[in-house]
Amino acid sequence: MKNLTMDKLVAHCKNTGILYPGSDIYDGLANTWDYGPVGVELKNNIKRIWWKRFVQESENSYGVDAAIMMNPRVWEASGHVQSFTDPKMDCKSCKSRMRADTLIENFSKGSVDVDAMTNDEMQDYINEHKIKCPVCGNFDWTPIRQFQLMFKTSRNITGDSNDVIYLRPETAQGEFVNFMNIQRTTRAKVPFGIAQVGKAFRNEITPGNFTFRTIEFEQMEHQWFCKNEEEGFKYYKEYKDKAWQFLLDIGFNKDDLKFKDHEKLAHYAKAATDIIFNFPFGWNELNGIHYRTDYDLRRHQEYSGKNMMYIDPVTNEKYIPHDVEYSIGADRLTLAILCEFYDEETLENGETRIVYHFHPAIAPYKVAVLPLQKNMSEKAKEILKKLSKHFMCTYDESGSIGKRYRRQDQIGTPYCVTIDFETLENETITIRDRDTMEQKRVSIDELINFVKDKIEF
Ligand code: GAP
């Protein structure tokens, strides 16, 4: 993460096809970003390894892909309609809307525990310290008001205000409402898990910090349903370890990660922690793990009138399962990876190379095919076609070979393959390792097996 600032990262991502500002040609839309050809591969790979670890390799875990728009009663049952709000205030001078807690956090440089403050306490703190608007520099605030974070839309069938539909602010509820369907159709026995990866939407007003907090983002959430409180605490600990190990296996340095237990627990949670990451703008939440008791299923039973009781097939015991939730943003994790594995290295000739040391499993392209000379492009494209059947590859024939290596280094391609005269004679190629920059000669079949082995996660 050497020398990395957010400005540098944003510029790098824009220039290399990782991320662009959303609606760019219309001057953007605040807090939205579009993944380019390189970024979409990176994020897809991240979602894939998460799914592999937490569904494919996790015994008794099942996937779901629920609708983004759900019956509005879901959000009453979950508590979002009543309390999913942020304390916001408007600057009367420049009309900017700000979160009061963020203003205090930034002003106090994290030394004040805003989570523990009431709105009145926050108001007093802002007045006492005369915290100014970060946009215009004036101290001219409206009082703090709670703003609903859910986006609303409407089917407009009746034109009635009761016709409201919310864009889901988390994927978790799609897992809870399908608990009975999944249990019945898979015949899963408690303990078992339900996972979902998908979009969530929040009307966040927190400018800056790139994709850290956006209004549209993807979550990777996993609910683990178990019998009772004793098991809830046991699996809470287990999921803390699993979430931590997942990050270490991606290659995160453990010194850049920390657990931060919640001091103030939500009314439904009996234990909660975040894994926080050392972003260039400071330590911030990467993922959350909550022991949520039987709150969610109990609330859905109450609001839907449908029975959420699980019947143990051996003992015939009936109970509403407890839940341990592990939730991580796909975009938040992608951002942390973009920060953690960025490097600038000084080469022997004094030049600087920007390199992403991504784990090969998440690298956007696994192999870049580079013909040494233009007249070798036919053979190179034949090899590209062969390799592309196995993994994502890219092709580059413009510029010196040194420049082409640099281009691949800066998007983290782990292997560059050069096509030269010998390739034309005996179907061997030179493979260059991104991290060591060492090269060796191998046959094309050897290359395929070698790369397949390296991209295992
Ligand atoms: N179901 C629990 C839940 O949604 P959360 O802490 O609000 O909990 C979980 O969100 C994760 O989703 C966070 O740890 C973060 O990684 C990601 N996330 C939340 N809000 C986000 C936003 N506005 N932009 C990007 N990622 C976000």
Side-chain angles (χ1 to χ4, degrees), residues 52 359-362 366-367 386-393 414-415 431 444-457:
K52 181 167 186 275
H359 187 302
I362 58 168
K366 311 307 178 195
V367 173
K386 200 165 178 184
L387 297 178
S388 299
K389 286 200 181 299
H390 301 274
F391 26 73
M392 195 73 200
C393 300
Y415 304 107
I431 177 169
I444 292 168
D445 286 341
E446 274 174 316
L447 168 76
I448 292 170
N449 289 330
F450 172 81
V451 177
K452 275 189 176 166
D453 196 39
K454 295 286 183 188
I455 62 179
E456 274 287 306
F457 184 83

Side-chain angles (χ1 to χ4, degrees), residues 22 32 38 52 66 97 123 128 136 143 219 252 308 323 332 372 376 395 399-400 405 419 422 431 453 455:
T32 64
V38 176
K52 181 167 186 275
R97 182 161 290 169
Q123 189 85 65
E128 194 181 313
C136 70
Q219 287 187 314
F252 277 91
M308 290 286 174
D323 172 52
R332 186 79 60 88
L372 210 53
M376 294 164 184
Y395 179 85
S400 72
Y405 283 153
I419 313 302
E422 224 181 303
I431 177 169
D453 196 39
I455 62 179

Side-chain angles (χ1 to χ4, degrees), residues 170 202 204 212-214 219 221 285-286 325 327 329:
E170 61 170 14
R202 295 182 189 177
E204 311 259 17
F212 179 79
R213 201 179 292 287
T214 46
Q219 287 187 314
E221 298 202 288
E285 177 183 342
L286 183 52
E325 177 181 73
S327 174

